[in-house]
Amino acid sequence: MDLAIRGGTVVTAGGPVVTDVGVDGGRIAQLGGTVVADTEIDATGRFVLPGGVDAHVHLTSPVTGPGSYSWADDFTTGTRAALAGGVTTIGNMSFPRRGEQMADGLERDLADAAAHSLTDYFQHPVLLEPDAKGIDQIGELAAAGHPSIKVFLSFRRFDRQVLPYLDAMRRAAEVGSVVLLHCEDSSIMDSCWARLREEGRTHPRHYPESRPVEAERVATERAVSFCATTGAASYIVHLSSAAALEACRVARGRGLPVYVETRPIYLHLNRSRFEEPDGAKYAGAPPLREDSDRDALWAGVADGSVSTVCTDHAPWTLAEKLDPALDATDLRQGMAELETLMPVLWSEGVATGRISLARFVEVTSTNAAKLFGLYPRKGTIAPGSDADLVVWDPDATKVVDGSTMHSAAGYSHYDGWEVRGWPAVTISRGEVVATGAEVVAAPGRGRLVPRRPFERP
Ligand SMILES: [Zn+2]
């Protein structure tokens, strides 16, 4: 064998067990028994977890030209942050530019990732134009190994084209493509923005009022009904509120294939952050909510009604976030999270006893791998699976300092937090790619992960 990881507590679907892991040819070759190998890693007193699968990141920018988005990280800096945080596979949102079809944007992002990504990767093509060509491409792309599309209910264009979007979801159901839905209602938000401007309440502290829970609730309820109508597997991205989670719980009770993703900030932070002098740095879409929403989401992670915790990594520099030209109606949304996803969730979730070890592995790795057709190559530690492993040190304690981390954002919204539980060694396809936060993998090392069409887990 190439590599033996000795004496660690391996977390598999069957639960934690102290055993040796043998790796050969980039795959898990043996669990237990006598492992003879060229190289050894001592994992005594540590956990051995499947590498994180973060199904929701933004490492390419959607459009060029005036007013365009330009997030701080590209595939190189973003995936370097990922490896330092124990994430070995990412799912990137691939945006077509103006006048392009989904397949054009995808082709560009596949080439970009092939040249620059340090982690393995897959892509979610964003469906901006559900015209006949766009709908045809859902099937073509699924057949080519890209069985997912992203839809934004939050864009005004959605409400102008609900019927063709439903046609798109029917096609997705036919070809086994998962539909990722950003659930916020554009009319409610437009109405709130107008009101805030009229009343002169545009300071960033009013950001939560600009995108209220009602906007998320009604869009999530619509998404559930669209799922029921079309049969498309529906993955609600970055769900933030108790009300929206309840809509999804009801849907699951009806037997619908509705899956919930939440995002670290909705578990760890609440809306009082916007009262801080630099509160704009916490802006994401949806906004931070109340403690009652946080409690509901933690309960959802613990009881399985939340399937995944993914980053929505979409970083800006602090100067860009705090740009005084912006107000509560147009703050820059998103933040760096790839390096902190697993450690902060461990620290706040596993170390505190809120969630079990098994749930931690499910929401950071296994469930995303299953929903997006990567399992069992990714998302588990089993013979034949890719040897994507994190030797996890549950006692390592660090104070977060974004200026020393790998994202080009240069800061973290957790700066100053003491976080307990960090990767000691990160392994991708059998190779050590990071020791602690020191990343040794080269850009372009990452590979596109083959995907299967959606099957109900
Ligand atoms: Zn996103």
Side-chain angles (χ1 to χ4, degrees), residues 374-414:
L374 316 174
Y375 189 86
R377 178 186 286 261
K378 305 294 189 190
T380 190
I381 301 175
S385 295
D386 281 357
D388 293 355
L389 302 163
V390 188
V391 178
W392 190 270
D393 183 349
D395 300 317
T397 301
K398 276 201 288 195
V399 174
V400 175
D401 176 0
S403 70
T404 66
M405 294 177 121
H406 294 282
S407 168
Y411 80 100
S412 168
H413 45 288
Y414 307 117

Side-chain angles (χ1 to χ4, degrees), residues 56 58 93 150 152 238 312:
H56 187 164
H58 297 269
M93 300 298 161
K150 172 91 178 275
F152 287 84
H238 51 53
D312 199 1

Side-chain angles (χ1 to χ4, degrees), residues 119-158:
T119 64
D120 288 351
Y121 55 88
F122 56 107
Q123 307 265 2
H124 305 289
V126 177
L127 182 64
L128 292 178
E129 284 302 332
D131 54 13
K133 204 164 178 190
I135 291 172
D136 279 348
Q137 285 192 347
I138 295 168
E140 292 161 16
L141 294 176
H146 309 286
S148 55
I149 57 165
K150 172 91 178 275
V151 168
F152 287 84
L153 278 70
S154 54
F155 292 166
R156 290 180 189 116
R157 67 170 76 217
F158 182 84

Side-chain angles (χ1 to χ4, degrees), residues 245 249 296-306 354-355 359 362:
L245 181 59
R249 269 213 187 91
L297 290 172
W298 274 113
V301 173
D303 72 16
S305 31
V306 173
R354 269 174 170 146
I355 59 171
R359 285 299 296 148
E362 283 171 21

